[in-house]
Amino acid sequence: MCPGSFDPITNGHLDIIERASELYDEMIVAVLVNPEKAGMFDVDTRMAMIAESTVHLSGVTVDSFHGLLVDYCRDQGVEVIVKGLRAISDSEYEVQMAQMNRGLSGIETVFMPTGPEHGHLSSSLIKAVAHFGGDVAHLVPPPVLQRLLARRED
Ligand code: PNS
């Protein structure tokens, strides 16, 4: 299971999904439905962008979930949560979540370091740069770039 907000998926996320898909036969990329945070793209669009960006990967499916991640994992029979770590600063919160999730369910979290070329990437930064007309073509998969550019024209 590779969970996240994915608003939108970045090349950093995609790097983790691609590398994790080499380790596991089946993987679900799951978008959190968060009623408290509208985000830039709705959940269906986020899922479409992930599906289009991972079309070259076998065994990868895209879904959404709400509520506790571990409940969704149990429903799906998922044994491992995969998370990317960009920097040590990420690990503070990520380790807390991993410990909580394991305590709640026994489900393990496996951390993968993002490629160094993606260490500075975040969905929020990309949205901010794109909003002000900056070039993000090298930071997001083409299906995301297309939609960001379409938003800019609106
Ligand atoms: O991409 P993000 O926003 O860093 O992803 C965070 C996510 C979705 C993995 C995390 O917020 C999550 O699992 N939310 C579901 C609710 C939940 O299970 N909360 C308890 C975590 S210990």
Side-chain angles (χ1 to χ4, degrees), residues 102-141:
R102 182 161 170 266
L104 288 170
S105 65
I107 296 171
E108 295 283 6
T109 298
V110 168
F111 292 115
M112 292 181 85
T114 53
E117 68 277 30
H118 304 306
H120 62 301
L121 289 191
S122 76
S123 300
S124 315
L125 270 186
I126 286 170
K127 283 183 284 192
V129 172
H131 177 74
F132 291 111
D135 181 15
V136 294
H138 55 302
L139 307 178
V140 293

Side-chain angles (χ1 to χ4, degrees), residues 60-75:
V60 173
T61 54
V62 186
D63 198 3
S64 64
F65 73 103
H66 48 80
L68 279 183
L69 174 61
V70 289
D71 288 341
Y72 173 66
C73 287
R74 269 194 291 232
D75 287 348

Side-chain angles (χ1 to χ4, degrees), residues 3-6 32 65 67-70 83 93-94 97 100-101:
S5 304
F6 300 108
L32 172 68
F65 73 103
L68 279 183
L69 174 61
V70 289
K83 298 299 286 287
Y93 185 49
E94 291 293 344
M97 285 201 289
M100 178 64 81
N101 285 334

